[in-house]
Amino acid sequence: MGSLFKAPSMPAPPAIVEPKVEDVPSADDAARKAQEEEDLRRRQRNRKGRRSTILTTPDYEDVAAETDQKSLLGG
């Protein structure tokens, strides 16, 4: 009766076959770099949205607004 509730043994995993280093293509070829630069230029040229509407630089983010000036109406 003990063999009824016993879990079956797991089979051995298959052997891992790694690719050879000389079969891997290089990621630094000139055609790929030229294509990536062209894609980046095209994306930058067609880019619209918030970046094109911001007219100030982000350097003014830390400057507090001057709101305590006296005016003729408010005294």
Side-chain angles (χ1 to χ4, degrees):
M1 185 96 177
S3 64
L4 251 180
F5 298 108
K6 186 177 174 186
S9 62
M10 290 209 34
I16 298 174
V17 179
E18 295 184 11
K20 296 180 181 175
V21 176
E22 50 273 350
D23 293 342
V24 178
S26 174
D28 294 333
D29 58 345
R32 176 179 262 171
K33 282 188 178 183
Q35 182 65 34
E36 287 177 358
E37 289 174 2
E38 178 63 30
D39 291 343
L40 180 64
R41 258 184 265 136
R42 187 177 301 122
R43 281 194 306 262
Q44 293 292 339
R45 185 178 58 227
N46 294 335
R47 195 174 203 183
K48 294 180 181 176
R50 194 173 157 199
R51 190 180 99 186
S52 64
T53 62
I54 296 176
L55 300 177
T56 60
T57 61
D59 298 336
Y60 297 114
E61 290 178 2
D62 296 333
V63 178
E66 297 178 14
T67 57
D68 52 330
Q69 294 180 355
K70 295 194 180 217
S71 66
L72 294 175
L73 299 175

